[in-house]
Amino acid sequence: MSAEFNAAAEKVKNLKAKPTDQELLDIYALFKQASVGDNNTSRPGTFSLDLKGKAKWDAWEKLKGMSKSEAETQYVNKINQLVEQYGLN
């Protein structure tokens, strides 16, 4: 992980307002793709009540095939956009 990526990961913790659920899913998926790579876990079961877990899994799965470096770049760009939108504490 680059210093820029790590700095962005810290910035997101200090936003003045909470991002939307979709923005949170986007940054979660980009973070996972940049740090782990393609999703290699099983999707939470059909009858599981873990709707949040399913949404996170689906968001990450959509990035399958994206390189770690591309995900890192997109993550940093997304965090910078959120900082401009919400500001920092």
Side-chain angles (χ1 to χ4, degrees), residues 6-58:
N6 291 329
E10 286 304 310
K11 280 183 195 174
V12 76
K13 297 174 188 175
N14 296 305
L15 293 173
K16 283 185 178 178
K18 182 182 178 208
T20 66
D21 288 344
Q22 186 58 54
E23 289 167 337
L24 290 171
L25 283 173
D26 292 345
I27 60 177
Y28 169 83
L30 288 168
F31 182 89
K32 292 294 278 184
Q33 190 70 20
S35 58
V36 177
D38 285 345
N39 186 344
N40 58 0
T41 62
S42 298
R43 187 173 192 265
T46 304
F47 300 106
S48 169
L49 297 177
D50 184 11
L51 300 179
K52 185 176 180 180
K54 288 180 188 178
K56 290 166 76 173
W57 190 94
D58 290 343

